[in-house]
Amino acid sequence: MKPRVSVHKFSSCDGCQLAFINAGPALLELAGLVDIVHFAEAGPMDPDAPVDIAFVEGSISTQEEAVRIRRVRESARYLISIGACATAGGLQALRNFNAQGVDDWTRAIYARPEFIESLDKASAISDQVKVDLELWGCPVNAQQVFTAIRRLLFGALPFVDNEKVCQACKRQGIVCVLVTRGTPCLGPVTRTGCGAICPAFGRDCYGCFGPAENPNTAPLSRRFQGLGLMPEDIARRFHFINSQAPGFLEEGRNWDQGTP
């Protein structure tokens, strides 16, 4: 009997599910190894089916999602959160900086705010239930996902690469935009996984794969300050896609009210 796999969506843009689908031949190969019982984006629908591996995309942003994620956890042997929304709250977690809660901005945006049911704070999956593995990225790297599945199927612990984007740049011979151009790049504190795609095209990394191991954000912030960035601009760089991630959250707060 094939291992059973499910893919669940919570508050997100669907980008990490599309990373599955866009994998093409790799997804077809995976389908030969496992039984995909729930993956609404691709067709199969059985959200409460017991599975060996459940992948979860998106943050917990509503009370309904807070209840549903517990059902997913109960039905899965392994639960793997994929992407920035699932691992650090994603862009939805920018609401967490609003001291007035969601009512303040729903009244300003929606004609009928009474129909909007949102929690005051958006949270990562691990803030709600036990997570066995986190795969970061915006979107997640599909190859990392398939590698994790293969290792789990063969009884091995998945390997998560926590090295910095700078190391990927060095291996690929990419010229450092921070050193040569004075461009404020988050590569020195961000984990690799994207293939250093932004520096490869001459632009700065903006941290979509979250903090690397031992990110050491304070010296980088001081370097940004030396390049002329205002405190609010430094804070904004850390309070973006992975604003709630450990390291990024604290460093952004250090600069929110001015120079630390």
Side-chain angles (χ1 to χ4, degrees):
M1 183 177 177
K2 292 181 181 179
R4 293 159 62 87
V5 171
S6 61
V7 182
H8 298 266
K9 170 186 164 58
F10 289 79
S11 292
S12 63
C13 70
D14 288 29
C16 292
Q17 292 181 86
L18 289 175
F20 270 88
I21 296 172
N22 290 338
L27 180 60
L28 295 176
E29 183 180 350
L30 173 65
L33 298 174
V34 301
D35 184 11
I36 301 177
V37 298
H38 175 73
F39 189 178
E41 192 88 5
M45 291 283 290
D46 192 356
D48 295 321
V51 295
D52 296 286
I53 305 172
F55 289 96
V56 176
E57 175 197 61
S59 65
I60 304 303
S61 299
T62 69
Q63 185 58 42
E64 180 275 332
E65 289 179 334
V67 173
R68 181 157 55 94
I69 189 58
R70 284 166 172 75
R71 294 206 306 269
V72 174
R73 174 69 271 187
E74 290 170 0
S75 67
R77 180 182 177 192
Y78 297 109
L79 190 149
I80 301 177
S81 57
I82 57 173
C85 295
T87 54
L91 290 176
Q92 301 85 263
L94 292 175
R95 76 175 67 167
N96 299 2
F97 296 112
N98 186 349
Q100 284 72 45
V102 295
D103 290 343
D104 183 52
W105 57 263
T106 52
R107 286 195 301 268
I109 295 171
Y110 297 99
R112 300 294 300 273
E114 63 269 23
F115 294 115
I116 306 299
E117 296 181 1
S118 294
L119 297 173
D120 282 342
K121 296 185 180 296
S123 61
I125 300 302
S126 61
D127 291 336
Q128 301 288 327
V129 297
K130 177 179 179 292
V131 171
D132 299 296
L133 178 68
E134 292 182 324
L135 296 177
W136 295 66
C138 186
V140 72
N141 183 323
Q143 187 57 49
Q144 290 178 321
V145 173
F146 295 142
T147 299
I149 293 175
R150 285 182 173 276
R151 291 183 68 87
L152 285 173
L153 293 181
F154 288 100
L157 292 175
F159 171 75
V160 178
D161 195 347
N162 288 327
E163 71 176 21
K164 298 173 174 64
V165 170
C166 291
Q167 292 170 273
C169 284
K170 295 299 183 185
R171 283 195 295 268
Q172 297 178 50
I174 297 171
V175 176
C176 178
V177 299
L178 178 60
V179 173
T180 62
R181 299 183 183 182
T183 303
C185 177
L186 285 175
V189 299
T190 300
R191 76 180 66 202
T192 189
C194 61
I197 188 170
C198 289
F201 284 91
R203 63 160 294 167
D204 51 307
C205 166
Y206 49 91
C208 64
F209 269 72
E213 187 176 16
N214 301 318
N216 201 18
T217 54
L220 184 63
S221 293
R222 290 195 293 271
R223 175 61 175 147
F224 288 172
Q225 187 181 31
L227 292 173
L229 265 67
M230 299 298 290
E232 60 267 26
D233 294 321
I234 297 174
R236 192 175 297 117
R237 290 196 170 249
F238 290 101
H239 287 171
F240 187 35
I241 295 173
N242 287 289
S243 65
Q244 304 301 300
F248 283 15
L249 175 62
E250 294 80 4
E251 189 62 26
R253 282 177 171 166
N254 286 342
W255 293 88
D256 271 335
Q257 303 302 320
T259 304

